[in-house]
Amino acid sequence: MGDWVSAIPAYLAVAAVLIIPGVAVVAVGWGWRSPQRLLLAPAISVTIAAAAASVAPLVGLRWNLLPLALVTLVVMGIALVLRRVAGVDTAPAGRRTGLVALLSLVATALVSAVMFARAFGAPGNIAQRFDNIVHLNAIALGLQNGSASPFQIGSTSDIGFYPNAWHALTTLGAELTGASVPVAVNGSNLAIVSILWPASVMALAGAFFAQRRTAYVVSAALSTGFGAFPALFFNWGVLYPNLVGYAMLPAALAVIVTMLPERGAPALVRSALLVALLAGGTFLGHPNAFLSLLFFAAAVVITAFAVLAVTERTRGSVLGLGIAVVAFAVALAGTVAVFRTGAEHSGWAPWQQLSQSLGEGLFAAPRGFTPTVVASLLLIAGFAAVARRPRLLTVLAPFAVAVALFAVASGLRIDSPLRQLLTNPWYNDSNRLAALLPLVAIPVATLGALAIVDLVRATVGERRVPGWLRVGAVVVGIAAVFSVAIGPNVRIALAQVHEAYAYTDSSLILSSDEEALLERLDEETPPDALIAGSPRTGTSLALAFADRQVTQKHVFGNPSPEVLFLNAHLRDIDSDPAVCRTVDQLGVDYVLDFGTQDVIDPAGAAAYSGIQDLTPGTHLVLVDSQGPAAKLFRIEGC
């Protein structure tokens, strides 16, 4: 773990970006006294950062602290005006609540940071998954161009717009600290999983359970105990943008929950604007996260109105339920239609039978992750609590939606019309829907913990219990819920992350030899060099590792006809004059050849047959090599 000292500056920089802007907005808009609002600060900060990075190039600013500060000041001004109209939040029950929430978040941050640092292995390791090529290169390109806007990030893979929240945070961390791209990525991800994610899920638990101290402690601990999120996104994909969007989602849902009982136009307007702010930030994390938020919000709001209609039996409550159903039906239908994906992206097959999918979903243990006993018992206790008190159905409703979506994607046949209707916007990808389960399972498990605590208190009643016994019971309880961090569910997922981040001779993107050669590029090539190579073998990471331009920045995209020609014919450079002409036209100076180890499918190497397994010749001069397959050639004589 000593190697991780080099990642501390990047971690602290992103941590500060996650904390300071959001805390400033909450302080001027709601005051300091409500931990419930302060726990929203990281999600607010992400929204501000993503928005500032989007606006900065439009007004001629590089992406750095200046646009972040300017947008923060604008949002603070709006929050201050709204506070003058709506007032401050009601203070929590006692100061201990804020202290308990803070200590719980700090403890969880430490646990999560250590867990994931161990899983990543070393600060310079990268996830050996093909999507990581575009994410790493997007950070490098953002640093070069001084922009992390959605349009800049999209240009890395030749698309017009790509959600930029994760890239904005990570690029800023690298810009502020000078860390290498891999180190900046790992430092940023550690800040996201240790600060943004637990704070967000704690905010949702506090919203559901009226800021009970036990709810804050339990939800913080449970944020470390599920393999499906956030660990899964460091192995599958990798899905860094989804990571940020999903980590923000509980905070956005928390604002919706706290908005429901509010009365008076000023308070409602302020809450609605906060919902819009966080929903927008969730979208800039990833559109899938925004769509998930809409589904969960529909579940919470419709269930709340339904409970009200059943208990009050008034015309107004029934009308409110009807309006909520119609409004969300229209919103969901429209959004699902807009977010539909093509067959080339949504062909992921189901995993298993529907019954097994339902079982895995109910215990938030998909992909064969062994359920952790403590988490499972708390979930069962939560189900029982809802059965006894139906008014708590609002806590269970979003979890039921997540289980249903996961079961549909992973348990129905690939051509099922229901599957295509409901889960196509998530690419019919069971992994993305599996990752939603912990987000809304944690409040249910927290409810189970509260039910157990209340039962124990009721059983003890007015009996005299020694102080040491009470303290001991609290310590044992806290230790029990934090034990989920070493439970089998998350252990299995983190072991897979560790495997995904390891450099070996057969790593999917970069072998140990290839990584070593990339690290020497800045000594062996001039800063303005243009390097050709097959992106499917990891050569395009010369941009992320050595700040050198490459002919293709990602596995996918739209290469020019000239690049396609070189991919197929560069090996003929000594015999075909057209190759030299194309090299001169493009300005290619060097070629990286990492053999034929393919990051996705070996069949894909056929399109790059002319640029792999090269041999030295008149025009190809071997400059450096590492091991049997990693070679750097300089093009001469063209």
Side-chain angles (χ1 to χ4, degrees):
M1 293 294 291
D3 293 343
W4 281 94
V5 171
S6 63
I8 290 177
Y11 173 86
L12 292 178
V14 177
V17 172
L18 286 173
I19 294 170
I20 295 172
V23 168
V25 169
V26 171
V28 301
W30 287 268
W32 292 95
R33 302 185 65 187
S34 172
Q36 180 61 34
R37 297 296 184 186
L38 289 170
L39 286 167
L40 300 174
I44 294 172
S45 295
V46 172
T47 304
I48 291 173
S54 302
V55 172
L58 302 179
V59 295
L61 294 177
R62 286 186 61 87
W63 175 226
N64 53 35
L65 289 179
L66 178 58
L68 179 70
L70 292 175
V71 174
T72 300
L73 289 173
V74 170
V75 179
M76 288 173 64
I78 296 171
L80 181 60
V81 170
L82 291 172
R83 175 177 176 171
R84 292 185 179 278
V85 176
V88 298
D89 272 358
T90 303
R95 292 184 179 179
R96 287 186 183 179
T97 302
L99 181 60
V100 168
L102 176 62
L103 292 176
S104 299
L105 179 58
V106 170
T108 302
L110 291 172
V111 171
S112 296
V114 171
M115 284 169 51
F116 281 92
R118 290 173 62 88
F120 296 159
N125 286 1
I126 66 168
Q128 302 281 347
R129 299 294 183 262
F130 82 92
D131 269 337
N132 204 21
I133 296 173
V134 72
H135 295 314
L136 293 172
N137 280 342
I139 300 303
L141 201 63
L143 290 169
Q144 286 182 357
N145 297 333
S147 173
S149 76
F151 310 102
Q152 169 67 50
I153 302 304
S155 70
T156 311
S157 50
D158 300 328
I159 60 176
F161 179 97
Y162 196 88
N164 71 322
W166 179 83
H167 300 87
L169 291 173
T170 306
T171 304
L172 188 57
E175 175 75 21
L176 293 175
T177 64
S180 67
V181 170
V183 171
V185 166
N186 286 329
S188 177
N189 284 334
L190 288 180
I192 290 164
V193 299
S194 66
I195 298 173
L196 172 62
W197 159 236
S200 185
V201 81
M202 289 171 67
L204 181 56
F208 273 131
F209 307 117
Q211 301 197 69
R212 285 189 59 173
R213 293 194 290 270
T214 302
Y216 285 137
V217 174
V218 173
S219 59
L222 290 175
S223 71
T224 68
F226 291 94
F229 188 82
L232 179 57
F233 281 172
F234 293 110
N235 174 39
W236 174 251
V238 289
L239 303 181
Y240 294 149
N242 263 111
L243 170 74
V244 170
Y246 278 23
M248 288 183 64
L249 193 159
L253 188 59
V255 180
I256 294 171
V257 172
T258 55
M259 182 180 175
L260 286 173
E262 285 189 331
R263 297 293 180 267
L268 287 170
V269 168
R270 180 169 63 175
S271 290
L273 290 175
L274 185 56
V275 169
L277 180 77
L278 293 182
T282 303
F283 179 85
L284 289 174
H286 199 284
N288 279 342
F290 174 80
L291 181 61
S292 305
L293 173 63
L294 190 57
F295 268 80
F296 293 157
V300 168
V301 174
I302 291 174
T303 302
F305 276 100
V307 170
L308 191 65
V310 170
T311 54
E312 291 191 355
R313 301 175 185 270
T314 63
R315 181 178 300 177
S317 62
V318 174
L319 180 62
L321 173 60
I323 293 173
V325 170
V326 172
F328 275 107
V330 171
L332 286 169
T335 308
V336 168
V338 170
F339 286 3
R340 293 197 71 76
T341 58
E344 70 276 13
H345 297 299
S346 59
W348 298 103
W351 289 347
Q352 58 217 345
Q353 296 296 316
L354 182 61
S355 57
Q356 185 175 351
S357 297
L358 288 169
E360 289 186 352
L362 286 171
F363 289 97
R367 286 176 57 102
F369 297 159
T370 303
T372 296
V373 173
V374 171
S376 298
L377 290 176
L378 292 179
L379 281 170
I380 293 171
F383 300 150
V386 173
R388 291 183 59 211
R389 290 178 288 175
R391 65 181 179 81
L392 294 172
L393 277 169
T394 50
V395 180
L396 183 62
F399 183 48
V401 169
V403 172
L405 290 172
F406 170 72
V408 166
S410 64
L412 294 184
R413 66 183 189 275
I414 195 169
D415 60 346
S416 166
L418 181 62
R419 190 172 188 262
Q420 283 297 322
L421 174 67
L422 290 179
T423 64
N424 171 276
W426 288 271
Y427 310 104
N428 290 321
D429 180 4
S430 300
N431 289 284
R432 295 176 196 259
L433 292 162
L436 287 174
L437 294 169
L439 277 61
V440 280
I442 289 175
V444 178
T446 302
L447 172 61
L450 294 174
I452 293 171
V453 169
D454 292 343
L455 179 62
V456 170
R457 286 175 175 171
T459 301
V460 173
E462 298 297 326
R463 301 174 189 172
R464 291 183 176 272
V465 178
W468 65 266
L469 187 57
R470 290 181 181 272
V471 172
V474 170
V475 170
V476 170
I478 292 174
V481 291
F482 269 97
S483 72
V484 298
I486 57 173
N489 192 282
V490 72
R491 267 205 328 270
I492 294 171
L494 289 176
Q496 294 176 353
V497 173
H498 188 71
E499 180 181 356
Y501 273 72
Y503 282 115
T504 67
D505 292 339
S506 58
S507 298
L508 288 178
I509 296 182
L510 291 179
S511 68
S512 304
D513 290 336
E514 292 162 355
E515 189 266 344
L517 184 57
L518 287 181
E519 294 288 356
R520 296 198 293 267
L521 281 183
D522 59 352
E523 302 171 358
E524 299 171 331
T525 61
D528 60 349
L530 176 61
I531 300 175
S534 168
R536 300 178 69 96
T537 63
T539 64
S540 56
L541 285 176
L543 175 58
F545 275 73
D547 201 26
R548 297 300 186 265
Q549 293 301 318
V550 293
T551 53
Q552 285 183 252
K553 301 179 182 68
H554 187 28
V555 173
F556 303 120
N558 301 297
S560 68
E562 293 79 12
V563 170
L564 292 175
F565 178 79
L566 286 188
N567 291 343
H569 300 287
L570 185 68
R571 66 170 55 256
D572 303 323
I573 191 169
D574 287 342
S575 59
D576 186 352
V579 176
C580 259
R581 287 197 298 270
T582 305
V583 165
D584 288 340
Q585 184 177 355
L586 292 173
V588 177
D589 305 295
Y590 292 84
V591 182
L592 272 172
D593 179 7
F594 287 170
T596 58
Q597 171 69 39
D598 194 272
V599 69
I600 306 176
D601 180 358
Y608 297 88
S609 59
I611 207 166
Q612 295 173 326
D613 290 337
L614 301 175
T615 56
T618 303
H619 294 293
L620 290 177
V621 177
L622 184 64
V623 176
D624 193 3
S625 64
Q626 179 90 21
K631 300 173 184 177
L632 172 67
F633 294 92
R634 183 173 60 251
I635 299 178
E636 293 185 354
C638 283

